[in-house]
Amino acid sequence: MSANLKYLSLGILVFQTTSLVLTMRYSRTLKEEGPRYLSSTAVVVAELLKIMACILLVYKESKCSLRALNRVLHDEILNKPMETLKLAIPSGIYTLQNNLLYVALSNLDAATYQVTYQLKILTTALFSVSMLSKKLGVYQWLSLVILMTGVAFVQWPSDSQLDSKELSAGSQFVGLMAVLTACFSSGFAGVYFEKILKETKQSVWIRNIQLVSFSLEPSL
């Protein structure tokens, strides 16, 4: 049962990640009359939905009691200001990253973006080694080298790309720089967040509420 749940979760994650990229790319390149929506607005709406979902999950863990929910939020967030402040750094980085992803998808095709963004696996591994003192085996380092090689081949221009005038070289460079910056920010923020989770006993839902509470202001 646990194995089936694991593979089901993996399948849902793959579908969600792929569909997110395709819908974001479609929404940023769709040619319609009138102004296009602001990417910063989409980031703010996503943060609001995230904090509402986390509050609902904490509410469920509190046995659907508003009084218990209020006590948990007060004790875990307001009464622990130093613990809450630790999330200010990754929340700001995540805000920058989420905005950069819209910039990248506005200037790169979905396939190039998706493959290039997998470099976050490499940056996460490097930050894990330096910040968490993790040790990677030979096969893990070999996998990272293969990943880098694959990303390099994806960026290699083909004849059809040279003939295509859909995206200028300047816009492709902007998109590439945006996605590379997002990879480094994702790797650092993810490892930093993991380190905080391991050092404390607070639930991931409480930590996400703390994250969003700091990211809403710069997003707005």
Side-chain angles (χ1 to χ4, degrees), residues 51-64:
I51 195 171
M52 286 191 294
C54 290
I55 290 175
L56 283 175
L57 288 167
V58 176
Y59 175 71
K60 183 180 179 182
E61 289 182 347
S62 303
K63 299 180 180 179
C64 299

Side-chain angles (χ1 to χ4, degrees), residues 108-137:
L108 294 173
D109 61 90
T112 302
Y113 163 86
Q114 185 74 298
V115 175
T116 307
Y117 192 46
Q118 298 313 306
L119 278 177
K120 66 181 180 181
I121 300 174
L122 172 63
T123 59
T124 302
L126 295 177
F127 282 118
S128 296
V129 170
S130 60
M131 296 174 62
L132 300 179
S133 300
K134 286 187 176 181
K135 294 183 179 180
L136 301 180

Side-chain angles (χ1 to χ4, degrees), residues 140-155:
Q140 291 171 315
W141 284 114
L142 180 61
S143 300
L144 293 175
V145 171
I146 295 173
L147 172 66
M148 291 177 59
T149 305
V151 172
F153 276 122
V154 168
Q155 297 301 328

Side-chain angles (χ1 to χ4, degrees), residues 31-100:
K31 295 181 180 179
E32 292 286 344
E33 295 183 0
R36 183 183 298 169
Y37 70 90
L38 294 174
S39 59
S40 55
T41 303
V43 172
V44 171
V45 172
E47 294 299 308
L48 289 173
L49 291 174
K50 185 190 301 181
I51 195 171
M52 286 191 294
C54 290
I55 290 175
L56 283 175
L57 288 167
V58 176
Y59 175 71
K60 183 180 179 182
E61 289 182 347
S62 303
K63 299 180 180 179
C64 299
S65 171
L66 288 175
R67 181 176 296 179
L69 171 65
N70 182 63
R71 185 173 62 252
V72 169
L73 295 178
H74 189 273
D75 293 343
E76 297 295 335
I77 298 177
L78 297 180
N79 285 351
K80 297 180 180 180
M82 296 309 298
E83 290 294 325
T84 303
L85 280 173
K86 289 180 180 180
L87 275 298
I89 295 176
S91 64
I93 295 175
Y94 277 132
T95 303
L96 172 66
Q97 171 193 326
N98 291 334
N99 282 279
L100 285 174

Side-chain angles (χ1 to χ4, degrees), residues 195-208:
K195 185 177 181 181
I196 291 176
L197 287 176
K198 289 182 176 180
E199 292 176 350
T200 61
K201 296 182 179 180
Q202 289 177 312
S203 70
V204 67
W205 313 124
I206 292 292
R207 284 304 193 182
N208 271 296

